[in-house]
Amino acid sequence: MGEEYLGIPRLMWEADHEWRARKAFIDTNKHHYNGDHLASLSMSWANWRFMGCSYGPEVQEILTDCNTRVPREIEEEIDMLIEIATPKVKFVKASNENLGTRTGPPSQAIDGDVIVRENFKDLIQKPDNSDELVSGLILYINEKDDNSNPISILQESVQKCKRQIYYIDKGFINNEIHMDVFIDNIYIAHGSGPNQKVCKQNTAASAFELLKYSQGIIYKKDLIKYHESVSTISKSNLIKSTYYQSPKLQETNLGNQLLRKMGWSGAGGLGKDGCGISDPVFVEGADGRKGIGHEFTYRSVRSSSVEESLLSFLHDSSKNEIRFSSDLTKEDRALVHRLCQKYHLKHRSFGKEGDRYLLVSKIGNIF
């Protein structure tokens, strides 16, 4: 049985401070709600306060009312954690639409164009001629002269640059379907075809042909080179970190006493001259019928090691991105993704199978 409070279980992924805050919420609202209703409200409240989630007017009103009963010290602790985890970047308004931030109520929006250009200004291939047709739109292309799937290229590009694309069906004209394509309410191109699918492909191809002469272009092979230059955290670093975080041996420990009798000073390398190994020996527990000497290729990393790496990254003002290497397993990457959400960091995996790695950023779109 897992830990629970007043019959409400702790979620398996909840950190200690989140569970402590949720218990305070449950305790102060137990006379107003009970059972599953109280459990659901406590989880919604935690999502709202820690992750910046929002709900419908009626639910939000209930959560706000319940929040007034939460002890002040809990509120102060949450505010402090959010302040630590919030990237210290300048927010600039992109349009008249108030989009808000991930950690609080709507205030100002991030201009995708500003962030993308700041991160990748050296990677963008700019056209020699006219001004941009769509401000802030950058085309993400596999390689030069790649027009194999213009629909996918346009869709990926507008998503990464936080723009909107839509196709308008103009109906049948001269036995063909006709269509217009718009990006951010700007007319881009027209196309036609014998059916809906071909018509959309032709329309996207016309738009792509026009945009590649007016917009900046980033080639994905250049992005990969950029990713390789980012500070990398390997799986072995994370596993070693777990050992370094372990409590030091006390002087009363039998192993400590034996090593000291052989000349170890209690710090540095082993032996009386300190020339022996200084790193701890990795020890694995038994796993089924696997014996001593078996190589544990799929050893999982600890949540505490990943969390320590992310917090160190957040406090390092000299870094905007870090990379988790391709030796992490699928389960390891899932853990990193979850903790990135917790600390409001951008995160995404790249590559396939054994070459798949994960990039984490403090600001905007880095992809």
Side-chain angles (χ1 to χ4, degrees):
M1 289 291 291
E3 187 178 350
E4 62 177 41
Y5 183 68
L6 298 181
I8 297 175
R10 176 179 181 174
L11 303 174
M12 62 180 295
W13 57 81
E14 267 187 308
D16 290 340
H17 63 271
E18 292 172 328
W19 175 234
R20 184 167 60 252
R22 199 155 71 92
K23 283 198 297 184
F25 176 93
I26 293 168
D27 189 55
T28 54
N29 288 281
K30 62 186 177 184
H31 299 301
H32 301 269
Y33 304 95
N34 54 48
D36 291 342
H37 194 183
L38 180 58
S40 298
L41 284 174
S42 69
M43 288 186 285
S44 300
W45 174 82
N47 290 338
W48 168 45
R49 293 297 286 117
F50 286 104
M51 302 296 294
C53 300
S54 59
Y55 297 89
E58 294 182 3
V59 175
Q60 197 65 52
E61 184 178 352
I62 295 173
L63 293 178
T64 303
D65 178 61
C66 291
N67 192 62
T68 60
R69 292 186 279 272
V70 174
R72 182 177 179 82
E73 58 269 22
I74 294 295
E75 280 293 294
E76 290 176 349
E77 181 182 1
I78 294 172
D79 292 338
M80 181 188 69
L81 290 168
I82 292 176
E83 174 63 23
I84 292 173
T86 301
K88 302 301 185 291
V89 297
K90 181 180 180 181
F91 292 94
V92 293
K93 195 151 185 171
S95 67
N96 292 329
E97 184 181 2
N98 198 359
L99 300 177
T101 68
R102 295 188 66 187
T103 57
S107 54
Q108 289 183 308
I110 300 175
D111 188 336
D113 178 31
V114 172
I115 300 301
V116 169
R117 289 185 182 280
E118 181 63 27
N119 277 356
F120 294 135
K121 57 186 178 182
D122 296 332
L123 302 182
I124 300 173
Q125 307 290 325
K126 298 181 179 178
D128 298 327
N129 48 5
S130 61
D131 295 334
E132 293 178 319
L133 180 58
V134 181
S135 176
L137 177 65
I138 297 171
L139 300 179
Y140 288 74
I141 304 175
N142 286 322
E143 55 188 20
K144 196 170 183 180
D145 300 325
D146 176 22
N147 56 0
S148 56
N149 194 339
I151 295 177
S152 296
I153 292 174
L154 292 180
Q155 190 64 39
E156 180 181 7
S157 299
V158 296
Q159 285 181 348
K160 288 177 177 176
C161 296
K162 298 186 181 297
R163 299 296 184 262
Q164 291 184 326
I165 185 172
Y166 50 94
Y167 298 83
I168 296 181
D169 191 335
K170 307 296 287 187
F172 273 94
I173 303 175
N174 296 328
N175 296 323
E176 281 194 329
I177 297 176
H178 287 249
M179 191 175 290
D180 292 336
V181 60
F182 291 77
I183 297 178
D184 280 0
N185 297 321
I186 299 173
Y187 169 78
I188 305 299
H190 176 86
S192 61
N195 56 53
Q196 194 87 12
K197 181 178 179 179
V198 175
C199 179
K200 186 173 182 179
Q201 289 175 339
N202 292 341
T203 306
S206 299
F208 176 68
E209 191 65 27
L210 176 67
L211 291 170
K212 70 181 183 180
Y213 293 107
S214 70
Q215 306 301 133
I217 294 175
I218 288 181
Y219 295 108
K220 292 183 179 179
K221 59 181 178 61
D222 294 331
L223 269 184
I224 294 173
K225 291 180 181 177
Y226 171 77
H227 291 173
E228 291 173 349
S229 68
V230 173
S231 176
T232 302
I233 298 174
S234 68
K235 183 164 185 172
S236 61
N237 293 145
L238 293 172
I239 294 173
K240 286 180 181 179
S241 175
T242 301
Y243 282 84
Y244 293 144
Q245 291 170 18
S246 301
K248 293 183 179 180
L249 292 178
Q250 301 297 318
E251 292 188 4
T252 55
N253 180 274
L254 179 60
N256 187 311
Q257 294 173 358
L258 288 173
L259 289 172
R260 286 179 181 276
K261 286 181 180 179
M262 291 185 282
W264 184 50
S265 65
L270 296 180
K272 63 180 181 179
D273 297 323
C275 298
I277 62 170
S278 57
D279 289 337
V281 176
F282 286 7
V283 179
E284 291 285 359
D287 183 9
R289 297 178 62 83
K290 297 181 178 70
I292 296 174
H294 173 77
E295 185 176 348
F296 285 77
T297 308
Y298 299 106
R299 177 171 46 208
S300 296
V301 300
R302 297 282 183 87
S303 175
S304 57
S305 298
V306 177
E307 196 157 11
E308 182 190 32
S309 299
L310 293 178
L311 286 173
S312 175
F313 167 58
L314 276 169
H315 287 92
D316 188 345
S317 59
S318 67
K319 295 179 181 177
N320 283 328
E321 302 93 21
I322 54 171
R323 178 179 181 229
F324 287 85
S325 63
S326 58
D327 55 356
L328 269 67
T329 64
K330 181 180 178 181
E331 291 74 21
D332 295 334
R333 290 196 301 273
L335 173 62
V336 178
H337 283 302
R338 179 169 63 80
L339 290 173
C340 284
Q341 289 179 341
K342 175 180 175 180
Y343 290 108
H344 310 287
L345 291 165
K346 297 285 183 179
H347 51 101
R348 184 177 174 185
S349 293
F350 294 87
K352 296 181 179 179
E353 298 177 358
D355 296 325
R356 196 160 179 80
Y357 60 92
L358 196 153
L359 209 66
V360 178
S361 172
K362 296 176 185 175
I363 58 175
N365 281 339
I366 59 170
F367 318 117

